[in-house]
Amino acid sequence: MNGRRPMSGDSTALSAGSEEFVVGPQSRRRVLVIGQLDGFGNSLKPVAIARFLRERGHEVRLVDTSGLSRASTSAGFRGKLPAPDAGKIALYVNEVLSMLIRRYGGRSRHFLSYYTLVADQRIRRAVLRRALPLDDFDLVICETPNNAWVLTAATKSHTMYDCPTPWADDVHLQGKVTERQHVRLRQREIRLCESVDHLAFHWESYARYAREQYGLSGRNLMTLNFGCTPADPSLRARFEDPPRIVYLGHLGLRFIDLPLLARLSALYPIDVYGGPPPDPKLGLRYLGYGTPDSLRNYQMGLITCSQDLLMKEGFSAKHLTYLAHGLPVLVPAWRRNVDVLRGTVTYTEATFRQVVDGLGDRALWQAKSDEAYEQAHHLSWDRTLLPLDSLLQRVPRVDRPPCPVGG
């Protein structure tokens, strides 16, 4: 969801290649965190979880599945080849098919994508089940929908699916499946969500959406909101006249509403970072991939989204990234539940220029910036991940040898 960002923290690649609280020996747990560290916003949470739990004395193995099918995670020639393993070769072939469907599928693209999506989940479950000693851990946490079915292969460990967004509706919104396939994907996702011991979403509004729209029982739901790392005060945004607006995020998803971003850019200059590169015909001031450190040079962060129900109830990880740097965040007025995030200013296309001009007042901007920075501290990772402390106190220990820390 955010622009490409360097990742920190050690991890194990499965291709060839706050408060002071430390648990005692009897409370220590062995935790496996499965993520996809591809450099975008959803990579942040698995790394934050691993750090949070390690600092509290737990044994944690963080697994990166972003190059699961490849012979190497390097950028060289081997990084383009499949790994010499039957399951990983199957995954590689499915990824190639998915790419060809996206590029050349034409009108049948939304029909054919369903089969590669389901195949991806099934193959990944088989590959990860063989590669990981799931039952050597007290708790297995999965952070991505494509890998989440591996949780159904654990027989002794407690399982937790920390779901970024209701996946079936997300996929349908991107136009990848038909109406009938969407129903089948929803049923499949419901089975997964009900099967795990603990279910969380990256933002609490998604949990409400899933209960209302999917009909989830909620018996295993817990709150584990996304968090952020507040920037050092020396890296906070400072007022400038005229103020500069930044958009930092993914540019390849329909519900981002790039046409809206283009129209807003015509009303006021906006620097756009992220990927993949947008269509030049949109006329965006595209500056390539950005990092959060560049936010100190701006005075407002922008979010755009479509008016679909999922997006109205949705959440953007970049929202917290902006807040962490003291940026007032401009959010479409149709997005609900943003009143809980101080430092947020809503707009419509008709009021956008008026809102921006209002924040050109130094006193008003500074007040909103202070709200944003204070809100970021209330949403620091060490606060939002605290529910994991109480969860691990309830999770029984599995009688297995210790896992290798850090992979």
Side-chain angles (χ1 to χ4, degrees):
M1 289 183 281
N2 286 342
R4 188 170 294 275
R5 157 178 195 154
M7 302 306 302
S8 60
D10 56 338
S11 65
T12 300
L14 275 185
S15 54
S18 88
E19 295 179 6
E20 291 294 330
F21 178 80
V22 179
V23 300
Q26 296 303 315
S27 300
R28 185 175 295 123
R29 295 293 184 268
R30 289 163 287 186
V31 183
L32 174 64
V33 182
I34 303 171
Q36 193 153 310
L37 311 188
D38 56 8
F40 288 96
N42 284 340
S43 301
L44 301 179
K45 199 171 185 183
V47 173
I49 288 174
R51 176 200 59 79
F52 176 86
L53 294 178
R54 285 173 182 152
E55 288 180 354
R56 280 152 174 75
H58 298 290
E59 299 178 32
V60 182
R61 180 175 175 184
L62 174 60
V63 171
D64 176 17
T65 65
S66 57
L68 187 58
S69 68
R70 304 308 170 103
S72 171
T73 56
S74 68
F77 180 70
R78 293 186 70 242
K80 299 179 180 179
L81 297 176
D85 171 270
K88 293 182 179 182
I89 291 173
L91 182 61
Y92 181 90
V93 170
N94 190 66
E95 290 170 349
V96 172
L97 286 173
S98 178
M99 181 271 294
L100 292 174
I101 289 170
R102 288 197 307 271
R103 189 169 298 179
Y104 305 112
R107 292 183 178 180
S108 63
R109 183 170 54 238
H110 72 295
F111 172 76
L112 296 173
S113 293
Y114 169 83
Y115 299 100
T116 57
L117 288 168
V118 174
D120 182 69
Q121 291 182 323
R122 289 174 173 167
I123 298 170
R124 283 174 175 270
R125 180 186 186 276
V127 171
L128 292 171
R129 182 182 186 181
R130 288 200 319 271
L132 297 173
L134 299 172
D135 290 329
D136 283 357
F137 298 89
D138 303 309
L139 177 66
V140 180
I141 304 173
C142 189
E143 291 289 317
T144 56
N146 56 350
N147 296 310
W149 277 90
V150 73
L151 295 173
T152 64
T155 60
K156 298 181 182 297
S157 305
H158 267 235
T159 54
M160 176 179 173
Y161 180 25
D162 186 24
C163 183
T165 180
W167 180 72
D169 286 15
D170 187 300
V171 167
H172 184 240
L173 192 54
Q174 294 180 49
K176 292 184 177 181
V177 295
T178 66
E179 292 291 340
R180 180 175 296 182
Q181 291 169 342
H182 174 221
V183 172
R184 292 165 65 184
L185 278 184
R186 256 200 185 185
Q187 293 171 343
R188 179 176 173 82
E189 187 174 14
I190 290 169
R191 290 197 303 272
L192 171 64
C193 290
E194 295 287 6
S195 73
V196 296
D197 296 305
H198 311 284
L199 174 66
F201 288 86
H202 280 198
W203 199 250
E204 56 200 68
S205 62
Y206 281 141
R208 291 193 295 270
Y209 176 95
R211 292 194 69 172
E212 294 170 2
Q213 302 301 318
Y214 281 51
L216 293 183
S217 68
R219 60 164 188 83
N220 55 356
L221 269 173
M222 61 178 288
T223 299
L224 196 71
N225 281 339
F226 211 85
C228 65
T229 302
D232 185 87
S234 64
L235 299 178
R236 267 192 67 177
R238 297 288 182 268
F239 181 78
E240 296 288 343
D241 187 16
R244 300 175 65 196
I245 302 177
V246 60
Y247 176 93
L248 177 69
H250 204 298
L251 298 170
L253 302 174
R254 187 188 71 80
F255 51 72
I256 295 301
D257 200 342
L258 288 181
L260 172 61
L261 180 57
R263 295 195 299 272
L264 297 179
S265 295
L267 297 173
Y268 194 93
I270 299 168
D271 288 349
V272 177
Y273 297 90
D279 186 339
K281 294 179 181 178
L282 290 171
L284 298 175
R285 184 151 66 177
Y286 177 61
L287 302 178
Y289 287 101
T291 65
D293 290 343
S294 63
L295 296 180
R296 64 186 298 189
N297 301 315
Y298 294 89
Q299 285 67 54
M300 298 173 223
L302 177 66
I303 290 174
T304 60
C305 66
S306 66
Q307 298 191 45
D308 304 277
L309 180 59
L310 179 61
M311 290 299 99
K312 286 182 177 180
E313 297 288 352
F315 163 76
S316 300
K318 58 179 165 281
H319 197 143
L320 271 59
T321 303
Y322 294 149
L323 294 176
H325 288 77
L327 288 178
V329 185
L330 305 176
V331 179
W334 50 88
R335 173 157 281 181
R336 302 167 185 170
N337 308 304
V338 294
D339 55 316
V340 300
L341 294 172
R342 301 182 69 222
T344 299
V345 182
T346 59
Y347 71 86
T348 64
E349 193 170 343
T351 64
F352 182 73
R353 184 57 195 254
Q354 179 183 353
V355 169
V356 172
D357 289 345
L359 286 170
D361 177 81
R362 180 187 291 269
L364 178 59
W365 180 89
Q366 190 62 59
K368 282 295 179 183
S369 175
D370 290 343
E371 285 182 7
Y373 195 54
E374 181 183 1
Q375 179 68 80
H377 282 83
H378 284 288
L379 292 172
S380 68
W381 288 115
D382 286 343
R383 291 190 179 215
T384 60
L385 297 181
L386 277 175
L388 287 176
D389 276 338
S390 57
L391 172 62
L392 284 175
Q393 291 173 23
R394 303 193 307 270
V395 169
R397 301 178 76 168
V398 174
D399 186 19
R400 289 290 186 274
C403 70
V405 177

